[in-house]
Amino acid sequence: MTNEDIAKKLIENLGGAENILTAGNCMTRLRVQLADKNKIATDAIKKIEGVSGIYDAGAEFQIILGPGKATNVTNAVNEILSKRPKIGDGKALREEIKAKNTTPAKLFLRKIAGIFTPLIPGFIACGLITGVIGVALKISPELADSQMIKLLSIFGNAVFWGMNLFVGYNAAKVFGGTPILGGVLAAIMTHPALSDIGLLPGRGGIISVVLVAALGAWLESKLHKIIPEMFDLFLTPLITVLISGAAAIFILQPVGGTISETIGNLATGAIASGGAAVGFILAGMWLPLVMFGVHQALTPIHVDLISQYGVTILLPILAMAGAGQVGASIAVYFKTKNKFLKKTVASALPVGIMGIGEPLIYGVTFPLGKPFIGACIGGAFGGAVQASFMVGAATLGISGLPLAATTNNIPVYLIGVVVSYAAGFAATWILGFEDPAE
């Protein structure tokens, strides 16, 4: 079945083109806003070839398709939707649905995601380069003096040198300000010349940057309203930078520094003192938290830990939840007699092993119930391994086997992955599940 065929089937079972207000996608899901959710034919959608599962996220209805597939099918859906008759633009209805399904917590998480999600490809690229260099140096330490290794090290560190600028730019944009002013304020806070006047460059890291970007955006919006138009182009950015920059140096940097240090101390302290028990709890709870979207709130914490320590010790622990999912799904594959379910597991397992777990969550373990619990148990055991050895990762945005190359203890990380596979498999096999009819 082609992507266009899948798109046509999806539109038909989502209530027709006139029922779809918007269609977008993330890495693995087609996300649609609908005028009337009662028109969704959920059972028919689940049976469409290429669909791994569905999820009702309140404001959106999501169809899990997997990486690459989600983008291609979404493009095909929007191509079809662009040809429908235009009777009004549906803006009022879209806004009504959006308001109905919007909460302060969801808005906050969306803003956080809007700041940090665009940075993830940079972290992935630089983290993997750093990881490969680390592996190469362990095999051949003499390569440390190689010009190529030194050049690649610059590539691997690039995202960290520019991180505050990127965060400032994105944060100002998300908070409604001029992006470049957010970048300028971040540059002021991290300028090395601050040390010449007795100040500490970069104190507070990304926490301080987000705070000053939010302040700058708020101040800029107020100035636009009170400064005459003929002076707005000159005075608004000038006053924004002067006032926000001063507040950043003398107020927000110390505040952000305290928050950042507290987060770092709590995270590392809890894992160092609690060890396996803390890792067990964190990894065991992670899959339900991901389903509720809470995982977005941890992205800035990962970034802050990496900026402070060079690695985040939370990510390897939480990544074990996906490994537990793989083990649970393998148990389902061998235990089920349902051919369609076997096919679903087989198609979703490769991306699950590579760290993209949504197809397995929504297409296999969560709909079956008990295997989802088995996956959580599997992740918990793997998380205990990672926490016991304080394994850290120098990137974010990836999980599964690819994350191994970026960790500071590759053998232990891989042992944890295998433990999660085995525990998830065993727990699911013991718990069992009701095998669905063909």
Side-chain angles (χ1 to χ4, degrees), residues 13 21 50 57 59 72 74 82 87 89-90 115 125 140 144 154 162 286 297-298 304 308 313 336 352 399 406:
N13 289 290
L21 302 178
N72 294 331
T74 301
S82 68
I87 307 174
D89 61 3
I115 294 170
S140 302
I154 294 172
W286 190 236
L298 275 192
D304 194 54
Q308 285 191 70
I313 57 175
T336 183
S399 185
T406 74

Side-chain angles (χ1 to χ4, degrees), residues 244-315:
S244 301
I249 297 298
F250 299 109
I251 301 173
L252 299 181
Q253 269 201 317
V255 170
T258 301
I259 295 173
S260 179
E261 289 161 12
T262 301
I263 290 173
N265 291 335
L266 286 175
T268 56
I271 295 172
S273 60
V278 171
F280 188 93
I281 294 170
L282 287 176
M285 294 174 57
W286 190 236
L287 286 178
L289 292 178
V290 168
M291 294 187 65
F292 286 114
V294 179
H295 61 294
Q296 293 174 341
L298 275 192
T299 302
I301 296 176
H302 289 312
V303 175
D304 194 54
L305 289 173
I306 292 172
S307 66
Q308 285 191 70
Y309 307 109
V311 294
T312 167
I313 57 175
L314 288 176
L315 186 55

Side-chain angles (χ1 to χ4, degrees), residues 66-78:
K69 196 76 168 176
T71 300
N72 294 331
V73 171
T74 301
N75 290 339
V77 167
N78 281 318

Side-chain angles (χ1 to χ4, degrees), residues 67-111:
K69 196 76 168 176
T71 300
N72 294 331
V73 171
T74 301
N75 290 339
V77 167
N78 281 318
E79 179 66 24
I80 296 170
L81 295 182
S82 68
K83 298 174 182 176
R84 63 188 170 182
K86 294 179 172 61
I87 307 174
D89 61 3
K91 183 176 180 181
L93 182 57
R94 279 198 299 273
E95 292 302 317
E96 179 184 342
I97 293 173
K98 184 178 177 182
K100 189 185 300 182
N101 291 285
T102 296
T103 65
K106 287 182 179 179
L107 285 174
F108 173 75
L109 290 177
R110 284 177 195 162
K111 287 184 181 294

Side-chain angles (χ1 to χ4, degrees), residues 400-417:
L401 289 183
L403 186 62
T406 74
T407 62
N408 55 10
N409 196 330
I410 295 175
V412 171
Y413 177 80
L414 292 176
I415 289 171
V417 170

Side-chain angles (χ1 to χ4, degrees), residues 199-275:
L199 298 172
L200 184 62
R203 187 186 177 196
I206 61 159
I207 304 296
S208 297
V209 171
V210 171
L211 292 175
V212 73
L215 173 63
W218 174 83
L219 179 60
E220 186 184 354
S221 68
K222 299 299 180 185
L223 291 173
H224 281 311
K225 295 177 182 178
I226 61 177
I227 292 178
E229 288 185 358
M230 64 182 299
F231 301 116
D232 186 51
L233 177 63
F234 310 101
L235 290 181
T236 296
L238 173 63
I239 296 172
T240 298
V241 169
L242 287 174
I243 294 178
S244 301
I249 297 298
F250 299 109
I251 301 173
L252 299 181
Q253 269 201 317
V255 170
T258 301
I259 295 173
S260 179
E261 289 161 12
T262 301
I263 290 173
N265 291 335
L266 286 175
T268 56
I271 295 172
S273 60

